Amino acid sequence: MKNLSLANIAAACGGRYVGTAQAASQEVTGIETDSRKVPEGGMFVAIKGERVDGHKFIDQVMQGGAAAVLSEVDLGEKPFPYILVE
């Protein structure tokens, strides 16, 4: 996915990148809303639905090899990069 660095994604969606400067230039391999399907090096978009809140699966997805998360919840200090959106 060309030019899909975390910094570019944050700018495109009006979000705020949270993480190291080095990780900001990392490109993701894919973007997924289903925590079970996030590819290694991909980005998980945590969506709060009627029955399930994707934010509950963030730690699991990151342990599975995801590169970053897009979240509407401020995750605070984490050992992985994420993009905070409204």
Side-chain angles (χ1 to χ4, degrees):
M1 301 191 112
K2 193 171 183 177
N3 293 323
L4 283 182
S5 70
L6 297 179
N8 287 345
I9 294 169
C13 66
R16 180 173 59 93
Y17 170 76
V18 180
T20 65
Q22 181 181 8
S25 63
Q26 179 180 357
E27 291 189 4
V28 298
T29 59
I31 299 173
E32 184 61 61
T33 59
D34 186 333
S35 63
R36 300 165 294 184
K37 297 180 180 178
V38 178
E40 187 166 335
M43 172 177 271
F44 175 55
V45 179
I47 296 175
K48 186 174 184 180
E50 287 183 25
R51 292 180 276 173
V52 179
D53 183 352
H55 295 88
K56 293 180 180 181
F57 302 102
I58 290 174
D59 289 332
Q60 174 186 337
V61 168
M62 295 308 297
Q63 290 172 2
V69 173
L70 186 109
S71 173
E72 66 181 355
V73 174
D74 188 339
L75 304 175
E77 292 293 320
K78 288 288 190 181
F80 55 81
Y82 67 96
I83 297 171
L84 180 63
V85 294
E86 288 187 29

